[in-house]
Amino acid sequence: MMATAWALGADRRYEHLRLRAWAHMLGFRGHFLTKARRYSVTFGYLRTARVRYRANLAMIAQGLNGVPALPEESTLVIRAFAFAGVGAPSLAELLRPRAGSAP
């Protein structure tokens, strides 16, 4: 079938079908997401594993899985962030001394 699609793709009457562009898919026997369920790992299994992993990470971050998010002997530093602007400053702005900075 691949050889036939390739040969017909060279015919000007069938150019609009773009048979040569899709001939490689004929040998694959299906869409790339349709892996055999009894061979290797299915995409459904991978998707489920990824969801469980992300859910566990979220639970760890919130301390809901019984494991503290941070060990008790650790130090938690909380800082505040403020919007500083958009884009990189110009060279002149970088070289200008700022108020309160050391000379």
Side-chain angles (χ1 to χ4, degrees), residues 3-101:
T4 303
W6 192 260
L8 289 174
D11 192 333
R12 296 181 78 66
R13 295 177 292 175
Y14 302 111
E15 279 182 347
H16 67 284
L17 296 176
R18 298 185 61 231
L19 293 172
R20 283 195 168 183
W22 292 99
H24 69 284
M25 291 299 289
L26 295 172
F28 193 70
R29 297 176 52 190
H31 194 268
F32 75 97
L33 280 178
T34 56
K35 292 179 73 172
R37 295 183 189 275
R38 58 179 188 251
Y39 178 79
S40 188
V41 177
T42 64
F43 280 93
Y45 177 82
L46 293 175
R47 188 172 36 254
T48 302
R50 187 171 51 247
V51 167
R52 286 182 180 156
Y53 174 76
R54 292 290 182 188
N56 191 35
L57 283 181
M59 287 173 48
I60 289 172
Q62 297 174 6
L64 297 177
N65 65 345
V67 177
L70 298 170
E72 289 189 23
E73 63 273 359
S74 69
T75 303
L76 177 62
V77 178
I78 300 175
R79 302 267 183 187
F81 293 94
F83 180 72
V86 177
S90 67
L91 183 59
E93 290 176 3
L94 288 174
L95 296 176
R96 184 178 324 137
R98 304 202 192 271
S101 63

